[in-house]
Amino acid sequence: LKDKALAELAKCSDQNELNEWKVQYLGKKSEFTSIMRGMGQLTPEERPVIGQLVNEVRGALERAYEAKERQFKREALEQKLQSESIDVTLPGRTVPVGTLHPLTRVIQQIEDIFLGLGFEIAEGPEVETDYYNFEALNMPKNHSARDMQDTFYITDELLMRTHTSGIQVRTLEAKKGAVPVRIIAPGRVYRRDDDDATHSHAFTQIEGLVVDRNIRMSDLKGILLTFARRMFGPEQQIRLRPSYFPFTEPSTEVDVSCYVCHGDGCRLCKHTGWIEILGAGMVHPRVLEMAGYDSEEYTGFAFGMGIERIAMLKYGVDDIRHFYVNDTRFLKQFANRG
Ligand code: FA5
């Protein structure tokens, strides 16, 4: 029986055949089991002899079975490893990579320029209080200058900020009378403007504020000219026009010379050759005083520039709305541009 079983075992070529073999030779209905059952009929002298023999044979068959089973498992594993092997020399698949939004790029470029001039970067909330957006900037309630910036109100006291100028006040309060103050503050602002090629109801500004002793209008002009030339090139011209803001005195609007013309003419510059990019001026003494600065001792200048306008000029974009529709055909064009 043992020899026959081992010969049959050697013929098994896979786990299924091996299972069948086990049933046949070691299972409940096997010849072996019937021999064991028959043990009861043996004489007491025969029993231990036969019993030992039976145990030996069963042990041998079980060991042979286990060895065979291990062999199959090993073979199966090897086969699996082989079929699943990875070709490390295969070239990788390219994952499409996004690019920075042109507005983000321009903000980063402007930040770099001003960081290089010794400015720090500040921030403020987009949902702003009436106090910081208007009142502390010398625009008390019912002041007619509030009409210059049509506003999205949330409550009587809360609104979507109409400009980044509130950050001037927040910064001065945080500095508690210390100088020098030299910050720029980028952020999104909101106005109830009708959208057209150069206006959006939500757009981006960068505020600038410098407060120290002996700060003059010529410092403002020098900083802005330096900025314009680093941004647009060494030939860039700027032009200051007198203007009015309640929080600066004197106030000015600043245009840059506009040399970007397209197929249908110089639409961006309306053929004047200039485009307004920012409002600016000397910080109004009342704003300094309200924020805790002695306006006899300290003076300062501030500016607020429109980022979309700068990006349009820099990249020759003729409609501000291109920045917001997120058409990848538009956005992809900025992948490799400075
Ligand atoms: C202001 O918002 C002042 N806070 C700027 C300022 C700061 C003056 C500090 C003095 C001192 P103004 O409303 O002009 O000013 O807006 C500033 C710039 O934002 C404009 O020059 C223009 O470039 C841009 N801008 C204004 N309205 C829009 C709009 N609807 N869409 C896109 N850009 C706009």
Side-chain angles (χ1 to χ4, degrees):
L1 177 66
K2 181 182 170 190
D3 291 344
K4 185 175 156 217
L6 290 179
E8 288 290 317
L9 182 67
K11 282 194 219 152
C12 288
S13 62
D14 62 25
Q15 185 69 40
N16 285 341
E17 287 176 25
L18 188 61
N19 291 342
E20 279 167 27
W21 179 89
K22 191 178 182 185
V23 172
Q24 193 182 343
Y25 290 99
L26 291 169
K28 276 196 194 115
K29 290 186 181 147
S30 65
E31 234 178 299
F32 219 94
T33 309
S34 52
I35 293 177
M36 305 257 280
R37 285 218 189 89
M39 293 274 287
Q41 281 126 44
L42 295 176
T43 62
E45 295 80 37
E46 284 172 326
R47 220 176 279 160
V49 183
I50 300 293
Q52 201 187 354
L53 189 66
V54 164
N55 278 342
E56 263 176 37
V57 172
R58 190 172 56 181
L61 291 186
E62 277 172 0
R63 278 194 299 281
Y65 167 82
E66 281 161 16
K68 193 80 176 172
E69 191 175 47
R70 273 201 299 278
Q71 182 198 331
F72 283 151
K73 280 198 178 142
R74 202 170 47 238
E75 280 172 9
L77 182 67
E78 263 164 28
Q79 205 181 13
K80 205 169 161 203
L81 285 177
Q82 223 154 46
S83 69
E84 288 177 3
S85 72
I86 294 166
D87 180 359
V88 292
T89 63
L90 213 62
R93 286 183 198 123
T94 41
V95 181
V97 187
T99 56
L100 288 179
H101 192 280
L103 290 177
T104 307
R105 261 170 198 280
V106 168
I107 291 172
Q108 288 180 350
Q109 288 166 12
I110 297 174
E111 285 178 350
D112 281 350
I113 292 171
F114 281 99
L115 285 171
L117 293 169
F119 284 66
E120 291 168 37
I121 294 172
E123 278 186 347
E126 286 182 29
V127 177
E128 187 54 287
T129 61
D130 184 272
Y131 180 77
Y132 286 113
N133 197 80
F134 290 127
E135 228 164 301
L137 291 166
N138 202 22
M139 281 182 276
K141 290 211 160 67
N142 303 320
H143 192 293
S144 57
R146 289 190 178 205
D147 296 344
M148 289 165 71
Q149 300 176 0
D150 251 347
T151 312
F152 292 114
Y153 281 94
I154 294 168
T155 65
D156 280 353
E157 292 301 321
L158 279 182
L159 45 92
M160 301 307 290
R161 67 179 171 199
T162 58
H163 53 185
T164 42
S165 296
I167 304 173
Q168 288 185 35
V169 182
R170 289 179 173 276
T171 303
L172 291 176
E173 284 182 0
K175 293 261 184 186
K176 297 194 166 77
V179 288
V181 177
R182 238 182 266 131
I183 57 114
I184 57 162
R188 195 163 250 263
V189 303
Y190 303 84
R191 289 186 198 177
R192 288 180 42 183
D193 278 351
D194 288 331
D195 292 1
D196 64 23
T198 53
H199 291 84
S200 172
H201 62 281
F203 60 103
T204 322
Q205 287 189 335
I206 292 188
E207 193 76 12
L209 173 69
V210 172
V211 175
D212 205 341
R213 293 182 182 85
N214 300 318
I215 298 293
R216 292 182 290 254
M217 191 86 180
S218 51
D219 297 316
L220 170 64
K221 193 176 174 190
I223 287 281
L224 291 178
L225 185 61
T226 304
F227 159 73
R229 294 198 164 159
R230 293 204 181 156
M231 193 72 198
F232 298 113
E235 304 299 315
Q236 185 64 50
Q237 300 293 322
I238 63 171
R239 174 170 92 169
L240 275 62
R241 282 178 293 110
S243 186
Y244 170 75
F245 297 102
F247 36 95
T248 46
E249 179 59 36
S251 301
T252 176
E253 275 174 327
V254 178
D255 302 339
V256 293
S257 55
C258 183
Y259 48 85
V260 183
C261 297
H262 302 283
D264 58 347
C266 306
R267 194 162 136 205
L268 199 57
C269 312
K270 298 183 189 128
H271 299 280
T272 61
W274 297 93
I275 183 172
E276 177 203 316
I277 57 161
L278 61 90
M282 300 306 291
V283 181
H284 198 291
R286 211 170 297 154
V287 173
L288 288 173
E289 293 288 341
M290 271 193 280
Y293 279 74
D294 181 351
S295 63
E296 297 281 315
E297 190 174 358
Y298 301 115
T299 50
F301 66 75
F303 56 83
M305 52 177 94
I307 302 311
E308 282 79 355
R309 300 268 175 91
I310 292 171
M312 288 167 85
L313 196 59
K314 174 124 185 143
Y315 295 127
V317 175
D318 62 4
D319 195 314
I320 196 169
R321 288 164 289 203
H322 284 307
F323 292 120
Y324 310 118
V325 291
N326 286 332
D327 182 338
T328 51
R329 288 170 305 177
F330 171 75
L331 297 174
K332 269 185 193 156
Q333 300 176 49
F334 303 92
N336 299 310
R337 296 180 57 177

